[in-house]
Amino acid sequence: MKFDNTYFRDLVGFYAPVDAALAPDPKLVKFNHALADELGLDVTNLDLAQTFSGNIKPDGADTLAQAYAGHQFGGFSPQLGDGRALLLGEIIIPAGNRIDIQLKGSGRTPFSRNGDGKAGLGPVLREYLVAEAMHALGVPTTRALAAVTTGARVQRQTAQNGAVLTRTAASHIRVGTFQFFAARGELEKLKQLADYTINRHYPDAATAENPYIELLKRVSNAQAYLIAKWVGLGFIHGVMNTDNSTLSGETIDYGPCAFMDHYDANAVFSSIDQQGRYAYSNQPLIARWNLARLAESLIPLINDDPDTAISQATEIIDAFSAQYEFHWLTEMRRKFGFETQHSNDENLFDTFFETMNDNMVDFTLAFRALADLADGNATSLRDLYLTPTAVDDWIEQFQSRIQSEPNASQNIRAANPIYIPRNHLVEAALKAAEEDGDYAQFEQLLALITNPFTEQNGKEVYAKPPLMVDPNYKTFCGT
Ligand code: AMP
Ligand code: MG
């Protein structure tokens, strides 16, 4: 690995240098060779288990824990930071961009507070599966390079095998990173961070009339695009705190996330989200709220006159909803297989979701079934409804709309996955791995969800929702 560690070098005072804890008996459980190739990593001479547990620090790595703050469920914590993660460093990959390599679960840091700095195997495998699925689905995301068990036990609700996830990211700069320095009134550092972020993610913003307003605009657009992607997949992040909101626009920190099976606009799975703050259809509003927190942090950089700065920033935040609408419509047209734009499209999309209300319609299968519908067969869609007549009027509208869309069915099959990491499949795969050391289901699921658009013979059960819906299904934090 050829490191070039700008965060370490250029942002002294933004992190604590720390070494990983010693893993007593590291074992590699999964390595992402395809990703390693993309990153241009030559791992032939590396001991993967020792390296990706943190026991061996690769040449050129400068391990550090980043400082950040964040609003968690609406309440501000001035000091969070990497409590269980270490940045190894950055590499420039063959495609030319700079990528962070980070260990998650590698032991305590000065930011650990009361935490043990560790991660359990279940959540590590969960993040591995979901991150790689999201990537295959075309969603900006951090990725999973390796999963290693440490040989130590970690105490959560129950005792678990300890594990370390190695993840890669465009960067780990969060809204909360800005909040950390803004809250402390450290304006020099705030400016340094903003300039660093512009240079790393939005370099042409540097020459804009007001680079910090331009930064806000770019992040706003990236977040609007990201959330439209999530919504288009029935994905619920579950813990959209400002410290889990990136400046790059990548999805980060897969904790209690989930994909919905049947469509439910109010879907919440996270055990800790009792108010439904991060419910499925709230996500665009929360993204906007998080951006407003970024905007507040940037105020002193935007203009010396706070009133002017606030009015400029407010304009950007106010534009978020329209930006989101634009990305949502684009995403929906893609999912419905449309290549042209009609003025009634938004209404057609909205009414499709209305037909699904209270009908226990599987979200993913419904979009796949649109391809059959475009081919003239309405059965596979109607069969998904408790009351199939609920969708009959809509079917007529759709059929008339696709008169001008000759490629609709093939577009739909290319845009809508058949395999997603469904909750019951993920749980079963994790249970087998955790309890029996059996990775067969994990491997099978990973293979399908990383090739999500191609139907495979004999794998029908992986495309289906669970036989029994568990209305109390909950996901948990605590990597
Ligand atoms: P997350 O839930 O991943 O967004 O984490 C929120 C904050 O809690 C971050 O500052 C984490 O570093 C910290 N944290 C979560 N779990 C642990 C742990 N086991 N040990 C130390 N810090 C943790
Ligand atoms: Mg986090």
Side-chain angles (χ1 to χ4, degrees):
M1 287 184 257
K2 283 208 195 70
F3 287 102
D4 176 37
N5 303 328
T6 57
Y7 211 90
F8 177 81
R9 227 167 37 225
D10 301 342
L11 295 178
V12 174
F14 290 67
Y15 59 83
V18 214
D19 286 325
L22 193 74
D25 183 20
K27 295 213 161 60
L28 184 72
V29 298
K30 187 68 191 166
F31 188 75
N32 192 339
H33 287 281
L35 177 57
D37 287 347
E38 257 179 67
L39 299 177
L41 296 182
D42 178 7
V43 295
T44 40
N45 294 318
L46 280 187
D47 181 326
L48 297 177
Q50 293 289 348
T51 305
F52 294 110
S53 64
N55 279 0
I56 295 179
K57 187 150 130 179
D59 286 346
D62 292 303
T63 49
L64 61 89
Q66 294 178 329
Y68 53 85
H71 275 90
Q72 300 183 301
F73 292 90
F76 187 61
S77 302
Q79 182 164 322
L80 294 169
D82 288 333
R84 54 172 163 184
L86 282 185
L87 185 66
L88 288 180
E90 303 145 35
I91 56 170
I92 309 288
I93 71 169
N97 40 317
R98 178 176 297 276
I99 295 287
D100 274 6
I101 303 183
Q102 194 202 54
L103 304 180
K104 191 169 170 186
S106 52
R108 289 180 56 81
T109 77
F111 304 108
S112 296
R113 292 167 294 160
N114 298 321
D116 59 7
K118 296 194 170 136
L121 176 59
V124 161
L125 295 179
R126 185 187 181 83
E127 176 156 350
Y128 197 114
L129 284 169
V130 183
E132 288 306 296
M134 292 288 264
H135 173 72
L137 292 164
V139 184
T141 178
T142 64
R143 297 196 59 190
L145 180 64
V148 172
T149 51
T150 59
R153 301 282 281 172
V154 301
Q155 190 59 42
R156 296 291 181 261
Q157 273 97 355
T158 56
Q160 296 187 8
N161 291 317
V164 175
L165 177 79
T166 303
R167 72 175 173 195
T168 65
S171 83
H172 287 83
I173 302 168
R174 307 144 190 270
V175 170
T177 320
F178 283 81
Q179 290 181 291
F180 183 88
F181 297 102
R184 296 155 68 112
E186 297 196 48
L187 294 193
E188 273 300 309
K189 287 216 169 81
L190 190 67
K191 181 171 183 313
Q192 220 183 322
L193 179 65
D195 292 339
Y196 178 90
T197 306
I198 289 171
N199 182 44
R200 183 155 172 181
H201 294 297
Y202 308 102
D204 50 330
T207 52
E209 192 186 321
N210 186 327
Y212 307 111
I213 275 291
E214 191 62 23
L215 172 65
L216 187 59
K217 213 186 265 181
R218 300 292 180 93
V219 177
S220 172
N221 187 55
Q223 285 287 335
Y225 176 82
L226 178 67
I227 308 301
K229 285 288 195 187
W230 290 359
V231 167
L233 287 162
F235 176 78
I236 300 126
H237 181 281
V239 57
M240 285 178 73
N241 294 333
T242 56
D243 53 303
N244 292 336
S245 175
T246 57
L247 275 280
S248 66
E250 283 184 341
T251 316
I252 199 170
D253 278 2
Y254 294 93
C257 60
F259 287 80
M260 58 168 79
D261 289 303
H262 67 271
Y263 174 75
D264 171 11
N266 301 317
V268 177
F269 293 101
S270 168
S271 60
I272 56 169
D273 191 3
Q274 276 150 14
Q275 314 291 320
R277 178 180 170 91
Y278 300 139
Y280 171 71
S281 56
N282 254 3
Q283 296 182 118
L285 288 174
I286 293 293
R288 182 176 180 276
W289 193 89
N290 289 349
L291 282 164
R293 305 289 79 76
L294 176 64
E296 279 167 5
S297 304
L298 293 174
I299 290 299
L301 304 182
I302 291 172
N303 199 294
D304 289 339
D305 171 35
D307 290 339
T308 309
I310 289 170
S311 89
Q312 284 182 295
T314 304
E315 222 175 278
I316 309 291
I317 302 303
D318 285 347
F320 178 81
S321 306
Q323 242 170 348
Y324 174 73
E325 270 303 296
F326 168 80
H327 288 300
W328 181 83
L329 261 182
T330 307
E331 185 59 10
M332 286 301 145
R333 285 206 176 93
R334 200 178 71 83
K335 285 178 73 70
F336 282 79
F338 300 168
E339 292 171 3
T340 64
Q341 302 186 7
H342 281 206
S343 56
N344 192 45
D345 284 346
E346 186 168 355
N347 181 262
L348 184 72
F349 303 151
D350 285 339
T351 46
F352 183 56
F353 292 111
E354 277 161 31
T355 67
M356 288 202 248
N357 278 328
D358 305 320
N359 257 300
M360 295 300 285
V361 180
D362 187 80
F363 182 89
T364 304
L365 293 181
F367 276 96
R368 269 312 267 208
L370 292 179
D372 294 338
L373 184 58
D375 285 335
N377 167 15
T379 315
S380 49
L381 181 64
R382 293 184 86 251
D383 282 354
L384 296 172
Y385 284 70
L386 284 180
T387 311
T389 50
V391 71
D392 284 344
D393 287 347
W394 188 85
I395 285 175
E396 275 181 37
Q397 291 178 50
F398 179 77
Q399 277 168 335
S400 108
R401 171 67 177 83
I402 59 167
Q403 294 307 309
S404 55
E405 296 291 348
N407 305 318
S409 68
Q410 85 193 47
N411 290 345
I412 294 166
R413 288 195 183 93
N416 293 283
I418 180 145
Y419 306 111
I420 56 161
R422 290 181 184 270
N423 303 320
H424 68 291
L425 299 173
V426 172
E427 296 298 337
L430 301 195
K431 188 162 181 279
E434 285 177 289
E435 292 179 7
D436 309 321
D438 174 0
Y439 287 84
Q441 290 185 64
F442 171 83
E443 292 289 351
Q444 173 66 86
L445 184 57
L446 183 64
L448 291 168
I449 62 186
T450 51
N451 187 9
F453 302 106
T454 314
E455 201 163 340
Q456 314 238 359
N457 283 335
K459 304 299 177 197
E460 291 73 17
V461 60
Y462 286 91
K464 292 194 176 130
L467 287 175
M468 298 283 288
V469 175
D470 175 1
N472 298 316
Y473 178 73
K474 291 275 174 282
T475 53
F476 293 89
C477 276
T479 309

